[in-house]
């Protein structure tokens, strides 16, 4: 058995817990929208055609914000296609995912779904095939109260009150050659700055996200961020990051250390943004929108290109196992740890498409393994994020060299006195004897403790067995100001501590 220790204190504050870190993503891709959130005729469907079982799971997941409508989809999207009487809406080819888009769901329907799910909308505009005029038009339609052509059109279409979207993405992944309207950093930066200025003339207090690199492995990474921010620094609030992780060539050890890559990615973008700010002699700090992240077995998708034109095809419906859930839990630790600079994060996507929720047409919806660390972290993380001093053995990985076996973050809510420790054991075979010094918190007791672990690291949840993998109660002791727990191999654990009554 390995040994590790953590030191935490309510004085070691990084930043407040940002609730927007618990964001998700709904793109018109595969079955995320159609037979995902929306399926008229389903036994649980409401009067608007939204699946009640998926809505219930979305609320249970603890999602605070949802990015919409893409993703690659948005770079060829005509938002006008999705408004007005459904029978009159055009059916289009959707080039990003080689499918047919019926436009049954558009901005009004999605805003209605978001209100039912009690989530904030983060809207992405098309800067691939369109530009400033389209962005102003969709903003007028969604946010202007009344009295103009497009606001009155919205009201005529059944949405009397404006949708009030405050957070806007200026396009999506325009650094990628796969993207409709792919641009150089200078081309995109100019267009993003022009669009941002125009949107701020319409509504000055909007929050705007510039596109960063679609991954840290892009050949233009770093240079892209620097050029784009040089052109947009005064006009935008956030710059985006996207990252997906998978087991490559059977290298599970490196996969379990994926958060090391996320940490480095975040730190690199922060350094670049601050360097640009220094060159511009600005006191403003650009924050980060990690608005696409998850485990995605991308090689499987790339090896099976689509050839048929279908509506709502089954695309990247990855089935997640226990190991994937542990990695997702660790990525959430990384995001919390960087809450001083990461302002928004969106796990991609919400349902069916590389998602924590799965559903079947006419059938059930269920929780994938990765659902549980997200739901628990969203429910438990409150108050302030605390810096954790970790003493841990290391293990060797091919991609990242020697990395700590144990990774952790903590939160503390001064209002309730609750303290939560989130911790992962990345080792494939060794349990960890963990000690956590709690003297600075006074007389505390364990209120609840949960662990994601299974003897079979490849265990999954399925339609036939939806609760095969669920969080298990963890045995945790607190004596004389010290927490003691044994962390199983490949496990993610959350412990909530409260003052003794």
């Amino acid at each position: 058995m390995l040994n590790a220790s953590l030191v935490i204190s309510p004085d070691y504050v990084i930043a407040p817990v940002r609730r927007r870190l618990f964001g998700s993503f709904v793109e018109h891709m595969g079955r995320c929208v159609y037979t995902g959130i929306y399926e008229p005729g389903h036994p649980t469907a409401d009067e608007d055609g939204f699946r009640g079982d998926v809505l219930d799971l979305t609320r249970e997941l603890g999602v605070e914000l949802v990015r919409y409508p893409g993703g690659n989809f948005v770079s060829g999207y005509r938002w006008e296609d999705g408004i007005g009487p459904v029978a009159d809406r055009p059916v289009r080819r959707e080039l990003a995912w080689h499918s047919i888009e019926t436009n049954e769901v558009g901005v009004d329907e999605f805003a209605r779904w978001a209100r039912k799910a009690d989530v904030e909308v983060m809207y992405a505009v098309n800067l691939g095939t369109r530009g400033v005029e389209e962005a102003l038009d969709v903003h007028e339609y969604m946010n202007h109260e009344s009295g103009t052509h497009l606001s009155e059109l919205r009201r005529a279409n059944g949405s009397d009150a404006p949708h009030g979207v405050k957070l806007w993405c200026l396009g999506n992944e325009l650094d990628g050659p796969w993207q409709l309207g792919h641009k150089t950093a200078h081309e995109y930066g100019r267009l993003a700055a022009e669009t941002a200025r125009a949107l701020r003339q319409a509504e000055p207090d909007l929050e705007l996200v510039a596109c960063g690199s679609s991954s840290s492995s892009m050949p233009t990474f770093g240079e892209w961020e620097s050029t784009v921010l040089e052109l947009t620094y005064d006009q935008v609030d956030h710059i985006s990051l996207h990252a997906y992780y998978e087991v490559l060539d059977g290298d599970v050890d490196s996969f379990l250390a994926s958060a090391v890559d996320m940490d480095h990615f975040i730190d690199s973008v922060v350094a670049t943004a601050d360097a640009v700010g220094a060159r511009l002699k600005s006191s403003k700090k650009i924050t980060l929108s990690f608005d696409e992240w998850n485990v995605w077995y991308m090689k499987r998708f790339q090896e099976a290109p689509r050839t048929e034109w279908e509506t709502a095809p089954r695309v990247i419906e990855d089935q997640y196992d226990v190991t994937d859930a542990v990695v997702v839990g660790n990525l959430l630790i990384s995001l919390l740890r960087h809450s001083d600079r990461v302002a928004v994060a969106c796990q991609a996507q919400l349902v069916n498409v590389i998602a924590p929720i799965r559903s079947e047409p006419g059938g059930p919806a269920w929780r994938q393994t990765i659902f549980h660390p997200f739901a628990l972290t969203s429910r438990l993380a409150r108050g302030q994020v605390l810096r954790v001093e970790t003493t841990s053995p290391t293990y060797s990985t091919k991609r990242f060299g020697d990395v700590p076996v144990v990774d952790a973050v903590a939160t503390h809510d001064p209002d309730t006195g609750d303290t939560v420790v989130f911790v992962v054991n990345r080792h494939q075979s060794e349990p960890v004897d963990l000690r956590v010094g709690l003297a600075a918190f006074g007389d505390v007791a364990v209120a609840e403790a949960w662990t994601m672990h299974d003897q079979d690291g490849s265990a999954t949840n399925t339609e036939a067995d939806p609760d095969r993998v669920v969080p298990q109660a963890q045995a945790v002791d607190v004596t004389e100001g010290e927490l003691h727990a044994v962390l199983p191999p490949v496990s993610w654990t959350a412990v909530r501590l409260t003052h003794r009554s």
Side-chain angles (χ1 to χ4, degrees), residues 1-7 256-257 260 330 337 388-396 402-409 422-428 430-436 487 491:
M1 184 178 295
L2 303 175
N3 296 289
S5 63
L6 311 176
V7 176
L256 285 164
V260 172
N330 199 178
R337 181 165 49 234
V388 175
E389 292 297 324
T390 304
T391 301
S392 168
T394 61
Y395 73 104
S396 180
D402 291 342
V403 303
V405 169
V406 168
D407 193 22
V409 75
F422 302 96
V423 60
V424 64
N425 175 5
R426 295 164 168 161
H427 205 284
Q428 288 200 68
E430 290 286 345
V432 172
D433 188 288
L434 179 71
R435 308 278 175 166
V436 184
L487 309 178
S491 64

